[in-house]
Amino acid sequence: MSVPLDELPNWLPAWCLDHLGGEPADVLFRTQQVSMVFGLRLAGGRDVVVKARADDGRAGSCVAAQARLAERGFPCARPLTPVVGVGALAVHAEEFRPGGEVLHGDSPDTAVRCAEVFARLMAELAGVIVTPPLPNPPWVRWDETGSETWPAIDFLDGLDQTVVPEHIVEAAERTRERLLTAGLPCVLGHADFEAQNLRWQVRQVWAVHDWDSLAWQPEAALVGAASGSFASAGPPTLAPIESSEAFLVAYQGFRGRVFTPVEMEIAWAASVWMAAYNAREMALCGGPPAGGDALRAQAAERLRRANA
């Protein structure tokens, strides 16, 4: 969505001048979900992207990890600045990396293509040392302290919880219990590996976006979450079981190691918990029910595989 220059936040032009050497001359796009994202053409003609989000202490680690991967040639935008505090916001800039197409579909073949990218991503991150980006994004924050099923999020918790179908709550409760007893070490990984966050050129991945969503969870859990979410090209959905299975098998092959039985259970549990989190949010906010419907159809088998 494009916006006029005079509708940009008041702090942004001076920030760009101070940290990028020029004020915005044109707005290429603006989006807002968890972060505010501005595509800008600066005076002088350089195109950049500026991201701003509530400063919860995570952004510095996420941007540092993104920078390491960009330096190594991984297909992602290169950060142009470190994270800078602007009031209650954490702000940084990165290069504008346009182009490529979203890969649509949820077939096993598509799952294998995505698993190869995720395996490469996780292998690269294994060599990156940063402070863990905590708290984790809420859709993989099953380990938040407390006894509640869901992480505390004011804008969701204040809504009418009775609209959330019981099968969603039950799936989350059962998989959260399984995930909390895993006893697996945490690693750095991408926790929002969805079709809408990847761009492809023919059969090669061109860009992986949304590095704000790095997390600190067991590898198997991160892989499991990705195996369920990889096909989401808009509102969140849940891939078919056979496609998640293809993703998990392919990932192990590309990484050159076989998951233990416990890791496989945790992978399946994480796929359910993330789907339940997203389905709950859609139910509370009046979003499309596709993810909740897919979870209802698949829950019994996924829970069986999770030993939950």
Side-chain angles (χ1 to χ4, degrees):
M1 180 179 65
S2 181
V3 297
L5 278 171
D6 59 5
E7 293 185 13
L8 292 175
N10 292 335
W11 56 265
L12 186 53
W15 190 94
C16 289
L17 181 62
D18 289 344
H19 297 280
L20 298 169
E23 293 190 350
D26 195 13
V27 181
L28 305 177
F29 64 87
R30 173 181 176 171
T31 64
Q32 182 165 357
Q33 293 185 19
V34 177
S35 301
M36 294 184 290
V37 183
F38 305 92
L40 304 172
R41 178 159 294 154
L42 303 180
R46 181 164 63 142
D47 293 343
V48 301
V49 174
V50 177
K51 296 185 176 182
R53 59 176 296 152
D55 189 358
D56 56 5
R58 294 172 30 82
S61 293
C62 293
V63 172
Q66 179 183 349
R68 302 288 191 281
L69 265 64
E71 290 168 0
R72 297 176 183 178
F74 188 84
C76 62
R78 178 175 58 89
L80 301 174
T81 71
V83 174
V84 180
V86 179
L89 297 175
V91 183
H92 82 280
E94 61 189 42
E95 66 180 357
F96 182 39
R97 192 178 175 94
E101 303 291 336
V102 173
L103 177 64
H104 293 275
D106 61 8
S107 69
D109 287 344
T110 301
V112 171
R113 288 180 62 183
C114 292
E116 183 175 12
V117 177
F118 198 68
R120 179 183 170 192
L121 184 158
M122 293 295 288
E124 293 284 358
L125 285 175
V128 173
I129 307 300
V130 295
T131 302
L134 298 172
N136 283 311
W139 50 90
V140 292
R141 199 188 304 165
W142 50 75
D143 54 349
E144 181 169 270
T145 302
S147 60
E148 296 298 326
T149 301
W150 313 105
I153 303 174
D154 290 344
F155 86 93
L156 293 179
D157 296 343
L159 299 175
D160 178 10
Q161 303 299 308
T162 64
V163 303
V164 181
E166 182 57 35
H167 78 275
I168 294 174
V169 178
E170 179 186 358
E173 290 174 342
R174 290 171 63 178
T175 50
R176 181 174 187 262
E177 182 178 354
R178 181 69 191 92
L179 289 159
L180 291 178
T181 61
L184 299 174
C186 291
V187 301
L188 188 64
H190 199 298
D192 203 16
F193 194 77
E194 298 183 338
Q196 61 187 344
N197 289 328
L198 281 72
R199 296 294 182 273
W200 299 77
Q201 292 183 341
V202 192
R203 293 191 63 86
Q204 298 296 317
V205 66
W206 164 246
V208 177
H209 296 296
D210 195 15
W211 295 90
D212 293 357
S213 294
L214 290 181
W216 186 250
Q217 289 286 18
E219 179 184 8
L222 293 166
V223 179
S227 78
S229 69
F230 75 87
S232 296
T237 186
L238 178 63
I241 289 176
E242 58 270 23
S243 297
S244 291
E245 183 173 29
F247 190 107
L248 294 172
V249 170
Y251 177 88
Q252 293 170 78
F254 290 126
R255 287 286 273 142
R257 80 175 192 86
V258 178
F259 281 175
T260 67
V262 168
E263 286 178 309
M264 287 300 294
E265 291 176 3
I266 292 307
W268 286 107
S271 75
V272 174
W273 199 92
M274 183 174 179
Y277 175 93
N278 288 330
R280 177 212 183 208
E281 182 172 338
M282 290 296 100
L284 290 172
C285 299
D293 292 344
L295 179 61
R296 183 192 298 274
Q298 300 180 32
E301 177 59 19
R302 286 183 180 266
L303 289 167
R304 184 190 69 79
R305 296 187 185 206
N307 192 25

